[in-house]
C-alpha cells in the first residue's frame, strides 16, 4: 500500500525541499485531487504551477495523446515535421495570436524564454548590430530556472544566490516606471540593449500586477526611438488565463516576441512556444537563414497533438469567454472575503489570476518579517483545510512581500469557485491568528 506522505529519507527522488513530507497524490478529477490516504483537495492554483487550466481527467485530450502515440510519438524536429506540429502552429496563429507570424515549440517555460532571448539576439546580429546583447527587465519577476532565465529576474537573495556568478549581467529596474526605464537605458547605453523582457501581467512574483497604460505607451515610444525589441513572457498569462488569449491584447503595446506555455499543454504534456512577429522572422530569413536552437522534444508529434486537443477544447467550450466574464465577479468576491483580515494588504485580479499581498498587521503596510515565512504558513494552513494555493516568499529581495496566488482551472464551476473562496476565508482567518501570535 502506498504511503500517504513521503519524506526525503524515504525516497530515491531528489525533492526540492529536503526537510518536507510530501503528500502522495493518487488521482485527480476535475478540480479535485485525492491523496493515497483518501484526502480530497480543492485545487485553487491549477496544479500548483498554474498549468492544469482544464482540470484533471479530460478524456478527449487523453484520447488524442493515445492516438498520436500509436502513430508516432517522437522524432527529433531537426529532421522532419508532422501534421500535429503544422496544425498546432497554424491554430495558434489563427486563434491565440493572429498578429504573430511564426511559432517555435519548446517543452516548458524556461526553454521558451531562453529561446526568446536568443531569438532577440539573433535578430540584432543578423541585422548587423552585434553590440546589442543587454536585456532590461523588471526586478520583481520570475522567468524560469535555467541560468539564462534566472538572470532575467532581479531577485538576487530569493532566487539567484548562490548562482549569480554564472549568470549574464542583465539590468533590472524597480519600480517599473518610465523614469526608471530611462535611467536604466542610460546606464546600459541604449545602443547595447537587445530587448526589454517582462511579464505583461505578473504571475507568481506579484500575481495580477501590471503597470498603468502610460508605461506601456512609453515603452513603445522608447522601442521606436532606440531599436530594441519587446519580449513578453506569457508562459502563465497566455492562452486565456487573464480573460483574453494573450495578456498583450489588454495593453496598448504590441510585443515583438511572446512566449506561451502552461495553458497550451494544460498539464497533459510538457509544451511551450515562442511566437514572433513578421519583421523578426524576416531578419533571420534574409540574414543567416538559420535559428540554431534545438531541444530534444521541440515540436515532437505527441506534445503537439496534445496542444491541438487542448486548444480545440478551449475554443469549443468558450473558456476564454468564461474567464473574461467570471473573472471580475471572482475578484470582487475575493476582495469582500478578505475584508477584516489584518494580514491582507492589496487584493488584485485579472481573469482567473488572483493575488493577495500580505502585510504586517501592526501597521497594515510593511512586509512581514522574513523569518516568519508567512508564505509557507499560508500554504500549510490552506492544505490543512483541503485547499491548494501557491504562495511566494520574496521579502528578502525588498521589492515585494509575501504574496498568495489563486489560479483556478478555467473549467471550475460557480459552486467550486464559491467553495474555493470559503476555504480561503477560513485559511486567512487562521493565518491572521497565527501571525499575530508569532509577532
Amino acid at each position: 500500500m502506498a504511503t500517504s506522505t513521503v519524506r526525503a529519507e524515504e525516497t530515491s527522488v531528489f525533492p526540492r525541499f529536503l526537510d518536507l513530507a510530501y503528500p502522495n497524490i493518487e488521482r485527480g478529477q476535475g478540480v479535485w485531487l485525492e491523496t493515497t490516504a483518501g484526502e480530497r483537495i480543492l485545487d485553487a492554483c491549477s496544479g500548483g504551477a498554474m498549468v492544469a487550466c482544464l482540470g484533471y481527467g479530460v478524456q478527449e485530450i487523453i484520447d488524442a495523446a493515445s492516438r498520436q502515440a500509436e502513430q508516432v510519438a517522437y522524432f527529433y524536429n531537426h529532421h522532419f515535421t508532422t501534421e500535429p506540429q503544422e496544425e498546432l502552429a497554424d491554430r495558434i496563429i489563427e486563434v491565440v495570436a493572429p498578429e504573430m507570424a511564426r511559432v517555435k515549440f519548446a517543452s516548458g517555460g524556461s526553454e521558451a524564454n531562453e529561446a526568446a532571448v536568443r531569438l532577440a539576439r539573433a535578430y540584432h546580429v543578423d541585422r548587423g548590430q552585434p553590440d546589442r546583447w543587454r536585456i532590461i527587465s523588471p526586478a520583481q519577476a520570475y522567468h524560469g530556472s535555467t541560468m539564462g532565465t534566472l538572470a532575467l529576474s532581479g531577485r538576487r537573495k530569493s532566487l539567484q544566490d548562490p548562482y549569480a556568478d554564472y549568470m549574464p549581467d542583465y539590468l533590472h529596474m524597480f519600480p517599473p516606471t518610465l523614469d526608471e526605464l530611462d535611467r536604466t537605458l542610460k546606464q546600459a547605453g541604449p545602443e547595447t540593449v537587445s530587448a526589454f523582457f517582462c511579464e505583461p501581467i505578473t504571475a507568481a512574483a506579484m500575481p495580477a500586477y501590471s503597470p498603468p497604460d502610460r508605461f506601456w505607451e512609453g515603452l513603445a515610444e522608447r522601442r521606436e526611438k532606440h531599436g530594441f525589441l519587446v519580449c513578453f513572457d506569457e508562459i502563465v498569462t497566455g492562452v486565456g488565463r487573464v480573460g483574453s488569449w494573450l495578456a498583450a491584447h489588454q495593453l496598448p503595446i504590441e510585443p515583438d516576441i511572446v512566449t506561451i506555455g502552461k495553458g497550451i499543454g494544460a498539464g497533459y504534456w510538457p509544451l511551450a512556444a515562442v511566437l514572433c512577429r513578421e519583421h523578426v522572422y524576416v531578419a533571420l530569413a534574409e540574414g543567416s537563414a538559420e535559428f540554431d536552437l534545438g531541444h530534444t522534444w521541440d515540436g515532437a508529434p505527441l506534445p503537439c497533438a496534445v496542444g491541438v486537443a487542448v486548444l480545440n477544447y478551449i475554443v469549443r467550450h468558450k473558456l476564454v469567454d468564461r474567464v473574461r466574464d467570471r473573472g471580475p465577479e471572482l475578484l470582487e468576491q475575493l476582495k469582500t472575503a478578505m475584508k477584516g483580515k489584518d494580514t491582507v494588504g492589496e487584493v488584485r485580479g485579472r481573469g482567473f489570476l488572483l493575488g493577495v499581498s500580505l502585510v504586517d498587521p501592526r501597521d497594515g503596510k510593511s512586509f512581514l518579517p522574513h523569518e516568519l515565512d508567512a508564505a509557507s504558513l499560508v500554504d500549510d494552513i490552506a492544505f490543512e483545510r483541503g485547499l491548494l494555493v501557491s504562495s511566494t516568499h520574496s521579502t528578502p529581495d525588498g521589492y515585494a512581500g509575501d504574496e498568495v496566488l489563486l489560479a483556478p482551472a478555467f473549467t471550475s464551476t460557480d459552486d467550486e469557485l464559491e467553495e474555493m473562496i470559503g476555504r480561503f476565508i477560513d485559511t486567512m482567518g487562521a493565518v491572521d491568528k497565527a501571525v499575530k501570535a508569532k509577532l
Side-chain angles (χ1 to χ4, degrees):
M1 180 178 177
T3 57
S4 59
T5 58
V6 180
R7 301 191 65 87
E9 62 270 20
E10 301 168 337
T11 177
S12 299
V13 173
F14 201 135
R16 178 178 180 182
F17 298 109
L18 308 190
D19 58 352
L20 181 66
Y22 284 83
N24 195 349
I25 297 296
E26 184 173 42
R27 62 174 56 88
Q29 188 62 46
V31 297
W32 294 89
L33 296 165
E34 186 173 325
T35 70
T36 53
E39 301 164 310
R40 294 184 78 234
I41 304 157
L42 177 58
D43 182 358
C45 54
S46 296
M50 299 159 282
V51 176
C53 61
L54 305 183
Y56 307 100
V58 178
Q59 193 60 46
E60 66 186 74
I61 299 173
I62 298 166
D63 291 343
S66 177
R67 286 193 302 270
Q68 186 59 50
E70 289 173 353
Q71 293 180 310
V72 56
Y74 173 79
F75 55 76
Y76 186 36
N77 201 35
H78 179 77
H79 301 291
F80 307 101
T81 190
T82 58
E83 283 306 305
Q85 177 174 233
E86 298 296 330
E87 182 180 359
L88 181 56
D90 286 345
R91 289 288 279 161
I92 287 173
I93 297 298
E94 175 191 3
V95 174
V96 178
E99 68 277 16
M100 294 290 162
R102 299 285 171 153
V103 181
K104 181 173 179 58
F105 294 107
S107 298
S110 295
E111 285 185 10
N113 284 338
E114 192 100 10
V117 169
R118 288 181 59 171
L119 180 56
R121 170 65 175 163
Y123 167 83
H124 293 296
V125 170
D126 277 7
R127 295 175 72 248
Q129 297 183 319
D131 291 337
R132 288 189 180 272
W133 68 274
R134 288 187 180 276
I135 306 287
I136 297 175
S137 57
Q140 180 62 17
Y142 178 76
H143 297 289
S145 56
T146 64
M147 293 299 179
T149 54
L150 270 178
L152 293 170
S153 173
R155 297 164 61 187
R156 177 70 181 254
K157 292 183 179 179
S158 63
L159 288 182
Q160 294 180 347
D161 284 348
Y163 313 109
D165 290 340
Y166 294 88
M167 297 176 193
D169 185 22
Y170 295 151
L171 298 170
H172 306 103
M173 44 179 275
F174 190 87
T177 63
L178 290 176
D179 286 345
E180 182 67 7
L181 176 58
D182 287 338
R183 185 197 67 77
T184 309
L185 282 166
K186 183 177 180 180
Q187 175 188 348
E191 70 283 354
T192 72
V193 175
S194 170
F196 183 86
F197 202 107
C198 69
E199 298 166 285
I201 299 173
T202 308
M206 192 180 288
Y209 171 77
S210 185
D213 282 354
R214 179 63 194 126
F215 175 82
W216 302 113
E217 294 164 351
L219 176 61
E221 293 166 0
R222 285 153 180 80
R223 171 179 59 184
E224 180 69 21
K225 178 179 179 180
H226 297 300
F228 56 81
L229 297 179
V230 171
C231 301
F232 274 6
D233 172 356
E234 297 220 35
I235 298 300
V236 171
T237 56
V239 198
R241 171 59 64 187
V242 294
S244 52
W245 283 105
L246 294 178
H249 297 159
Q250 301 183 23
L251 305 179
I253 187 172
E254 294 183 343
D256 303 286
I257 297 171
V258 170
T259 58
I260 59 174
K262 299 174 187 288
I264 196 63
Y268 290 85
W269 195 272
L271 182 62
V274 185
L275 287 56
C276 72
R277 297 178 70 87
E278 182 70 16
H279 66 275
V280 176
Y281 175 78
V282 168
L284 275 67
E286 295 180 352
S288 62
E290 181 180 19
F291 184 43
D292 187 17
L293 173 66
H295 294 283
T296 301
W297 277 90
D298 292 2
L302 181 49
C304 287
V306 169
V308 170
V310 167
L311 194 53
N312 288 343
Y313 188 93
I314 292 173
V315 169
R316 188 168 64 257
H317 292 275
K318 299 181 179 180
L319 292 178
V320 178
D321 293 343
R322 159 72 172 165
V323 173
R324 181 197 64 215
D325 295 342
R326 187 65 172 83
E329 181 186 353
L330 184 61
L331 174 60
E332 289 307 311
Q333 287 178 298
L334 183 61
K335 286 182 175 180
T336 299
M338 293 299 99
K339 287 181 179 177
K341 302 294 187 293
D342 294 334
T343 54
V344 172
E346 185 180 12
V347 179
R348 302 179 297 271
R350 294 279 189 114
F352 278 16
L353 178 65
L354 303 160
V356 176
S357 63
L358 304 186
V359 295
D360 192 319
R362 293 171 294 191
D363 64 12
K365 60 182 180 180
S366 301
F367 296 165
L368 285 161
H370 165 55
E371 61 275 10
L372 190 61
D373 190 6
S376 296
L377 185 65
V378 173
D379 288 351
D380 291 344
I381 291 176
F383 192 82
E384 291 170 359
R385 284 153 178 76
L387 182 69
L388 180 65
V389 299
S390 182
S391 304
T392 183
H393 181 51
S394 54
T395 305
D397 300 310
Y399 305 122
D402 298 278
E403 303 272 342
V404 186
L405 168 77
L406 293 93
F410 306 167
T411 52
S412 302
T413 66
D414 286 344
D415 286 345
E416 288 165 339
L417 294 174
E418 294 277 359
E419 182 72 14
M420 179 188 78
I421 295 293
R423 295 190 186 200
F424 193 60
I425 291 173
D426 291 344
T427 295
M428 294 310 299
V431 168
D432 257 9
K433 293 178 182 178
V435 166
K436 290 172 182 176
K438 291 175 180 286
L439 292 175

Short mmCIF file of all heavy atoms in Angstrom, two decimals, residues 1 62 98 107 174 185 247 265 268 325 344-345:
data_model
loop_
_atom_site.label_atom_id
_atom_site.label_comp_id
_atom_site.label_asym_id
_atom_site.label_seq_id
_atom_site.Cartn_x
_atom_site.Cartn_y
_atom_site.Cartn_z
N MET A 1 0.85 -1.21 0.00
CA MET A 1 0.00 0.00 0.00
C MET A 1 0.88 1.25 0.00
O MET A 1 1.87 1.34 0.73
CB MET A 1 -0.91 0.01 1.24
CG MET A 1 -1.82 1.23 1.33
SD MET A 1 -2.90 1.13 2.78
CE MET A 1 -3.73 2.70 2.65
N ILE A 62 -6.78 13.08 -23.34
CA ILE A 62 -6.08 11.82 -23.09
C ILE A 62 -6.17 10.93 -24.33
O ILE A 62 -5.18 10.31 -24.75
CB ILE A 62 -6.69 11.11 -21.87
CG1 ILE A 62 -6.50 11.98 -20.60
CG2 ILE A 62 -6.09 9.73 -21.67
CD1 ILE A 62 -7.33 11.54 -19.42
N PRO A 98 -3.20 36.20 -33.81
CA PRO A 98 -3.20 36.48 -35.26
C PRO A 98 -2.15 37.51 -35.68
O PRO A 98 -1.77 37.56 -36.85
CB PRO A 98 -4.62 37.01 -35.51
CG PRO A 98 -5.44 36.48 -34.37
CD PRO A 98 -4.52 36.44 -33.21
N SER A 107 9.60 22.68 -24.66
CA SER A 107 9.00 21.76 -23.70
C SER A 107 8.46 22.45 -22.45
O SER A 107 7.69 21.86 -21.70
CB SER A 107 10.02 20.70 -23.27
OG SER A 107 10.42 19.92 -24.37
N PHE A 174 13.44 48.66 -10.80
CA PHE A 174 12.36 48.68 -9.83
C PHE A 174 12.33 50.08 -9.22
O PHE A 174 13.36 50.61 -8.82
CB PHE A 174 12.56 47.64 -8.72
CG PHE A 174 11.34 47.51 -7.86
CD1 PHE A 174 10.32 46.64 -8.22
CD2 PHE A 174 11.19 48.26 -6.72
CE1 PHE A 174 9.17 46.53 -7.45
CE2 PHE A 174 10.05 48.17 -5.94
CZ PHE A 174 9.04 47.29 -6.30
N LEU A 185 18.14 52.59 -19.26
CA LEU A 185 18.61 52.70 -20.63
C LEU A 185 19.88 53.56 -20.71
O LEU A 185 20.84 53.22 -21.42
CB LEU A 185 17.53 53.32 -21.52
CG LEU A 185 16.40 52.39 -21.96
CD1 LEU A 185 15.24 53.19 -22.53
CD2 LEU A 185 16.90 51.38 -22.98
N ALA A 247 -2.33 38.26 -22.65
CA ALA A 247 -2.42 39.46 -21.83
C ALA A 247 -2.08 40.69 -22.66
O ALA A 247 -2.60 41.78 -22.42
CB ALA A 247 -1.46 39.35 -20.64
N GLY A 265 -0.41 23.25 -22.98
CA GLY A 265 -0.34 21.82 -22.68
C GLY A 265 -1.32 21.40 -21.61
O GLY A 265 -1.66 20.22 -21.50
N TYR A 268 -1.24 18.13 -19.55
CA TYR A 268 -1.34 16.80 -20.14
C TYR A 268 -0.07 16.40 -20.88
O TYR A 268 0.12 15.21 -21.17
CB TYR A 268 -2.56 16.74 -21.07
CG TYR A 268 -3.85 16.78 -20.30
CD1 TYR A 268 -4.41 18.00 -19.91
CD2 TYR A 268 -4.48 15.62 -19.88
CE1 TYR A 268 -5.57 18.05 -19.16
CE2 TYR A 268 -5.65 15.66 -19.13
CZ TYR A 268 -6.18 16.87 -18.77
OH TYR A 268 -7.32 16.92 -18.02
N ASP A 325 -15.58 36.73 -18.45
CA ASP A 325 -16.87 37.15 -17.88
C ASP A 325 -16.95 36.90 -16.38
O ASP A 325 -17.56 37.69 -15.64
CB ASP A 325 -18.01 36.41 -18.59
CG ASP A 325 -18.12 36.78 -20.06
OD1 ASP A 325 -17.57 37.83 -20.46
OD2 ASP A 325 -18.75 36.01 -20.81
N VAL A 344 -3.84 40.99 5.42
CA VAL A 344 -4.06 41.14 3.98
C VAL A 344 -3.93 42.61 3.59
O VAL A 344 -4.56 43.49 4.18
CB VAL A 344 -5.45 40.60 3.57
CG1 VAL A 344 -5.75 40.95 2.11
CG2 VAL A 344 -5.49 39.10 3.77
N GLY A 345 -3.10 42.85 2.57
CA GLY A 345 -2.97 44.19 2.02
C GLY A 345 -3.80 44.33 0.76
O GLY A 345 -5.02 44.32 0.80
#
